[in-house]
Amino acid sequence: QVQLVESGGGLVQPGSSLTLSCTATQFIFDTHAIGWFRQAPGKGREGVCILISSAGDTVYSDSVKGRFTISRDNATNTVYLQMNSLKVEDTGTYYCAAGSHYQRHYWPSSYSMGFWGKGILVTVSS
């Protein structure tokens, strides 16, 4: 079974940058969509961005577009989330997720995402 491990979270001031990493136990980028979802305190899970390799498609939520960038390194089976100009509302637990049957029109739903990391906390506060 595929396992995903996130790293790179922490406390940062508004306006600063932070990079999250997600490493998979096996190469899945050619057969799985992989992306990031987050859950703010007291709120439900929301999609941040997703990379659908088979379709050559990358999608960002409106709230992070222009500030966040998702990328991958096939050699290390790692996907990154570069977060710039962080805001207080970006605070939450970030989850890396992957799915083999994810379709573009599912976004921003996490439907069909079968593999999830344990989550990593990002706190943006002054």
Side-chain angles (χ1 to χ4, degrees):
Q1 183 176 358
V2 175
Q3 293 184 339
L4 304 173
V5 181
E6 305 102 333
S7 63
L11 173 65
V12 66
Q13 294 184 335
S16 297
S17 298
L18 196 64
T19 300
L20 304 182
S21 299
C22 173
T23 300
T25 56
Q26 60 191 69
F27 181 68
I28 59 172
F29 298 152
D30 60 337
T31 57
H32 291 65
I34 188 165
W36 295 89
F37 296 81
R38 68 185 181 187
Q39 186 168 10
K43 295 184 178 181
R45 182 195 302 157
E46 65 173 342
V48 177
C49 58
I50 193 165
L51 197 165
I52 309 174
S53 298
S54 60
D57 199 9
T58 303
V59 187
Y60 297 89
S61 68
D62 290 338
S63 63
V64 307
K65 190 175 299 181
R67 298 189 298 119
F68 290 11
T69 302
I70 186 172
S71 62
R72 71 178 193 273
D73 184 342
N74 292 339
T76 58
N77 298 325
T78 301
V79 63
Y80 301 95
L81 180 63
Q82 175 65 51
M83 305 181 291
N84 297 324
S85 302
L86 284 163
K87 304 175 180 179
V88 174
E89 51 263 43
D90 291 319
T91 294
T93 300
Y94 284 67
Y95 299 89
C96 179
S100 60
H101 301 290
Y102 198 88
Q103 301 294 316
R104 171 64 179 83
H105 61 268
Y106 292 168
W107 184 258
S109 173
S110 61
Y111 174 74
S112 86
M113 283 297 197
F115 305 104
W116 292 81
K118 294 182 178 180
I120 189 166
L121 182 63
V122 173
T123 302
V124 184
S125 176
S126 61

